[in-house]
Amino acid sequence: MIVATLLTSFVLTGCGGGDTAVAHNHPMAPLAEMPERVQDSGWKIRESYQFATANFELTDVIPCYCGCVGLGHTSLYDCYVSDVNETGKTQFDEHAEFCTICNDITLDTMRMLDEDKSSSEIFDQIKADYARFGPPTEKVETGES
């Protein structure tokens, strides 16, 4: 009986807490503003989309190393957002819904931001941890003023 109780509580514990978001000390876009597919996803994808869209200034300078540079992406932000139209409506990119590298980079960025790391420290750590996966996305300077 004791063994059965312990096994049951272990199994329930393993099932119960795995989809719980963590409180953060940085902006997160409202979940209701995310595509329905994202809303129905696990917490990693939900939080990644919420963070990436709410923190453009940071995710637009963080490179992605998943190979999405071949898709024309120039930053981690592009893995989540394909466009913001003139009325401010966000057009989401589905790419990050299916890419664990994009999500891992985003979650690591969030964690380091929670640890009060600077954007340059985050950039350097992401490069050190992910450069082995593929070429980085890079902003292209147009020379326009």
Side-chain angles (χ1 to χ4, degrees):
M1 179 72 157
I2 293 173
V3 172
T5 303
L6 289 174
L7 285 176
T8 302
S9 65
F10 176 74
V11 169
L12 291 177
T13 301
C15 294
D19 200 37
T20 305
V22 177
H24 299 286
N25 61 3
H26 46 73
M28 299 289 281
L31 186 58
E33 294 179 8
M34 299 297 114
E36 192 172 316
R37 302 173 314 274
V38 171
Q39 293 179 37
D40 294 339
S41 296
W43 73 269
K44 289 180 180 182
I45 292 171
R46 289 191 312 259
E47 283 201 354
S48 293
Y49 270 85
Q50 290 176 273
F51 177 80
T53 58
N55 294 278
F56 168 80
E57 298 80 14
L58 181 57
T59 57
D60 194 47
V61 298
I62 297 292
C64 187
Y65 292 91
C66 76
C68 63
V69 68
L71 299 173
H73 291 182
T74 61
S75 69
L76 183 62
Y77 181 79
D78 291 344
C79 299
Y80 298 91
V81 175
S82 59
D83 189 37
V84 178
N85 70 21
E86 62 278 350
T87 65
K89 181 166 175 52
T90 301
Q91 303 297 315
F92 292 94
D93 193 307
E94 294 179 349
H95 174 75
E97 291 178 54
F98 307 101
C99 184
T100 57
I101 293 175
C102 296
N103 286 282
D104 288 346
I105 291 171
T106 305
L107 293 170
D108 283 349
T109 299
M110 291 169 59
R111 177 186 48 76
M112 288 186 272
L113 194 59
D114 285 337
E115 295 170 352
D116 294 323
K117 304 278 185 188
S118 69
S119 58
S120 62
E121 289 173 309
I122 294 170
F123 183 93
D124 291 344
Q125 190 62 55
I126 294 297
K127 181 178 179 182
D129 292 344
Y130 291 95
R132 70 183 184 274
F133 292 109
T137 55
E138 297 178 297
K139 288 289 179 192
V140 177
E141 296 297 325
T142 62
E144 297 175 8
S145 302

